[in-house]
Amino acid sequence: MRKPRIVAASAVSAAAAVALGLAAPAAVARDGMTANPRNVVVQPSVIARGGQITVSVDGCPAGGHMTSSAFPQSNLTPVNGVGQSARGTATINDNARPGPYDITVYCSGRTLTAPAAFTVIGGVRGGLGGSSSTGATPTDMAIGGGLVAAAAAGGALFWMRRRSERRA
């Protein structure tokens, strides 16, 4: 009669251990202790000044924020339907210098820095046709003058040949 009691006690103990084991991760997740930011993805990876980037971070279930010297602090919000991920957008400063930039993400007291996560390129001078000077340069004048002289010489040579053909 002793064996059935030991078997029953063992079964109850095993069931309690399984229930506790399944409940522990949920309790840790509610406290944010599972936040471990990883896999920082920036789209697009090359951006002009004044453009907007989207940053996605895995292991950031409660959201957080991100910083870089190329943009002001921006929020990361949890992504619904995708467990443990957060996403945010940031606008690149108009005065950001061209080159690579790091991003640091903060999630539930933990940080992760992604070195050279994106690259800023110089802005485009719109409306000027790509030109930043006014008028023709001395090189442009020399090339143009040479072309006009070559055309005049070619025209004179052609006219002289036509004239000599008529006499013969």
Side-chain angles (χ1 to χ4, degrees):
M1 208 149 151
R2 238 180 133 134
K3 280 191 178 186
R5 286 186 186 172
I6 292 175
V7 171
S10 296
V12 170
S13 297
V18 168
L20 182 61
L22 293 175
V28 171
R30 280 192 296 268
D31 292 341
M33 297 301 290
T34 60
N36 190 18
R38 63 191 180 285
N39 194 26
V40 177
V41 178
V42 179
Q43 292 295 330
S45 61
V46 177
I47 186 80
R49 292 178 277 200
Q52 194 172 49
I53 59 172
T54 300
V55 179
S56 300
V57 182
D58 292 338
C60 192
H65 65 276
M66 59 184 166
T67 60
S68 175
S69 56
F71 58 81
Q73 179 177 315
S74 299
N75 290 329
L76 293 167
T77 56
V79 178
N80 293 332
V82 181
Q84 305 286 320
S85 294
R87 182 176 296 145
T89 59
T91 302
I92 305 300
N93 294 331
D94 289 334
N95 62 352
R97 291 194 170 159
Y101 284 89
D102 300 346
I103 290 181
T104 302
V105 296
Y106 301 89
C107 298
S108 300
R110 296 192 180 197
T111 62
L112 174 67
T113 299
F118 66 98
T119 302
V120 173
I121 58 175
V124 177
R125 294 180 68 143
L128 296 176
S131 173
S132 59
S133 63
T134 57
T137 64
T139 305
D140 294 335
M141 295 298 287
I143 292 171
L147 290 173
V148 168
L157 182 64
F158 178 76
W159 184 68
M160 295 293 270
R161 280 192 68 185
R162 293 283 293 181
R163 197 170 154 200
S164 67
E165 286 177 3
R166 286 186 193 165
R167 288 185 187 181

